[in-house]
Amino acid sequence: MPTAVQIRRTGGPEVLEAGDVEIGDPGPGELLVDVAAAGVNYIDTYQRGGIYKIDLPATLGMEGAGTVAAVGEGVSGFAVGDRVAWQGVLGGYAQRALIPASAAVPVPEGVSAETAAATMLQGITAHYLVRSTYEVQDGDTILLHAAAGGVGLLLTQLAKARGARVIGTVSTEEKAALAREAGVDEVIRYDQVDFAEEVRRLTGGEGVAAVYDGVGKSTFDGSLASVRVRGFLVLFGAASGPVPPFDPQRLNAAGSVYLTRPTSAHYVRTREELEWRTGELFEAVASGALKVRVGAKYPLAEAAKAHEDLQGRRTTGKVLLIP
Ligand code: NDP
């Protein structure tokens, strides 16, 4: 059984190598964690492909959950045996990971390790997008792309809880059903119809208060055409590829639209912010108010297949590696 999945060079899924990787004792401020579940995220594919630069060789994986096996010098608040989850640092695709204690949070009772791993990165993203980037208001209509995806299913539920009407795009009937189940009010098959026209129709010509667009290249123009005057275009990812260079004058023509390209590191800048977001998420998960769907699980040795399926639009909800 491999102990970790590394890349030594950038490229396609084939550069993911499952093998044995030595891991040392935790240094000052670190936790050594026995990983129970590691999240697979789009950012892993950007790092693997070289769009986001990281030092190589590297063990990929930007989130996970497990049990503390050893505690480094100067760490307070965590002990051996504690159940923890983390996000935002590399090293998750492994049986054991060294994690800065500052990135870890306790996993409450009643929340499984798999659910915890599935809640961290995409949950924090959904939380900051609807609470801090554009704060969704009761009665708003919003547009969300890839509504049956990892971020999509969580963002839908958080926006509905704030009283929004959610218009969501998906590419298959199975995804449409999942999106509706999560609370999407109006599902658009953007593989079949012009979604911007449909959004205008559904909003009586007005457009939406905010578009949450993690698809990027293939949706950006339609997203801009879907925002209401003085609305927000929140471009938070590039699942279909990066958006080409953009003339700001287009924001004027679209109705004095606000465009932002947020990233999660800027929305968990302090320990307080991390605890606020994860605290609300875990409370909602534990109470049953927030449903976390794990759509697929793979062993470490099949990390390449997990990447292929995520990038091939074959997954829904969260994708996990189980070491
Ligand atoms: P998803 O589970 O949403 O998977 C991506 C989905 O995008 C696919 O399932 C597919 O849904 C849709 N899609 C549309 N066009 C394409 C295409 N050409 N190739 C692949 N997928 C396509 O992934 P995540 O929830 O992990 O991430 C969603 C987006 O959010 C990503 O862009 C990611 O980078 C971004 N993100 C940004 C963060 C931030 O802080 N800025 C943090 C976390 C994620 P369908 O088949 O329905 O079209």
Side-chain angles (χ1 to χ4, degrees):
M1 277 236 295
T3 60
V5 177
Q6 284 206 318
I7 58 167
R8 282 186 287 189
R9 59 189 170 89
T10 57
E14 71 285 352
V15 302
L16 293 164
E17 294 176 24
D20 281 333
V21 178
E22 289 273 318
I23 192 154
D25 294 328
E30 284 185 336
L31 302 174
L32 176 66
V33 181
D34 282 327
V35 181
V40 177
N41 289 289
Y42 243 89
I43 189 169
D44 310 349
T45 69
Y46 304 148
Q47 290 168 337
R48 190 207 70 219
I51 299 172
Y52 287 3
K53 305 281 175 238
I54 54 171
D55 291 337
L56 301 180
T59 298
L60 290 191
M62 293 291 280
E63 80 184 326
T67 306
V68 175
V71 174
E73 205 185 301
V75 171
S76 61
F78 293 102
V80 171
D82 284 354
R83 299 169 67 237
V84 294
W86 70 90
Q87 65 90 43
V89 291
L90 278 165
Y93 288 12
Q95 286 180 358
R96 293 192 133 191
L98 286 171
I99 302 301
S102 58
V105 293
V107 176
E109 261 184 54
V111 177
S112 72
E114 288 186 8
T115 301
T119 305
M120 289 297 287
L121 196 150
Q122 291 165 333
I124 286 172
T125 302
H127 188 279
Y128 87 69
L129 289 173
V130 303
R131 297 296 300 277
S132 307
T133 306
Y134 170 75
E135 189 165 20
V136 172
Q137 306 295 313
D138 193 7
D140 276 348
T141 300
I142 63 160
L143 170 65
L144 165 66
H145 292 304
V151 174
L153 290 175
L154 297 171
L155 196 152
T156 295
Q157 295 174 75
L158 298 186
K160 286 305 294 176
R162 295 186 65 76
R165 174 186 182 219
V166 179
I167 303 175
T169 59
V170 297
S171 73
T172 68
E173 277 315 296
E174 185 213 349
K175 291 182 179 187
L178 287 170
R180 278 194 200 95
E181 208 179 293
V184 172
D185 299 284
E186 312 280 354
V187 176
I188 301 177
R189 283 286 302 270
Y190 60 175
D191 57 318
Q192 294 180 346
V193 300
D194 180 330
F195 72 82
E197 267 178 28
E198 194 58 10
V199 167
R200 287 284 159 189
R201 189 185 69 75
L202 289 166
T203 56
E206 179 79 358
V208 294
V211 181
Y212 295 97
D213 186 344
V215 171
K217 189 176 176 182
S218 65
T219 46
F220 184 79
D221 288 343
S223 295
L224 188 58
S226 301
V227 190
R228 76 175 180 207
V229 170
R230 291 179 1 213
F232 282 72
L233 174 43
V234 181
L235 177 68
F236 68 96
S240 69
V243 174
F246 174 77
D247 176 1
Q249 188 60 26
R250 290 180 63 196
L251 300 174
N252 169 314
S256 301
V257 165
Y258 296 85
L259 170 66
T260 181
R261 176 61 178 89
T263 194
S264 60
H266 298 148
Y267 287 89
V268 281
R269 296 194 72 197
T270 62
R271 184 76 201 170
E272 287 69 32
E273 217 167 17
L274 176 66
E275 288 178 0
W276 168 48
R277 299 195 196 284
T278 53
E280 288 199 356
L281 289 162
F282 281 144
E283 197 180 309
V285 170
S287 75
L290 180 65
K291 304 268 189 291
V292 181
R293 175 184 167 84
V294 175
K297 295 191 246 184
Y298 305 79
L300 278 186
E302 287 178 27
K305 170 116 176 48
H307 279 216
E308 281 162 11
D309 288 348
L310 181 64
Q311 292 187 288
R313 302 170 82 161
R314 289 187 288 276
T315 65
T316 58
K318 184 74 215 175
V319 178
L320 292 178
L321 294 183
I322 308 296

